[in-house]
Amino acid sequence: MPQYCLKCGALQPDGPRCQNCGTKFESPIQTSQGTWTTSSQLRAAVLMIVGIVLLLMLCFGGLVAAIVFF
């Protein structure tokens, strides 16, 4: 699967490093659903889910506090 270098933007064939600037690529891993992703994409998705859950908990707590105090 060809990929773009994040540092210089050059299209690269499969390989561990960019042929233009030498930046090391992450190795893709296969998830249980059969899709291919990198560990940084998985980490970003988990952090986004945790952030959304915390935001919803904060909103729900504010709503409960508003109902109780008013």
Side-chain angles (χ1 to χ4, degrees), residues 23-51:
T23 302
K24 185 176 180 186
F25 297 127
E26 289 187 57
S27 303
I29 55 175
Q30 189 173 16
T31 62
S32 60
Q33 290 84 13
T35 58
W36 291 89
T37 186
T38 61
S39 60
S40 65
Q41 290 172 332
L42 288 175
R43 191 177 308 113
V46 168
L47 288 176
M48 182 179 63
I49 291 169
V50 168

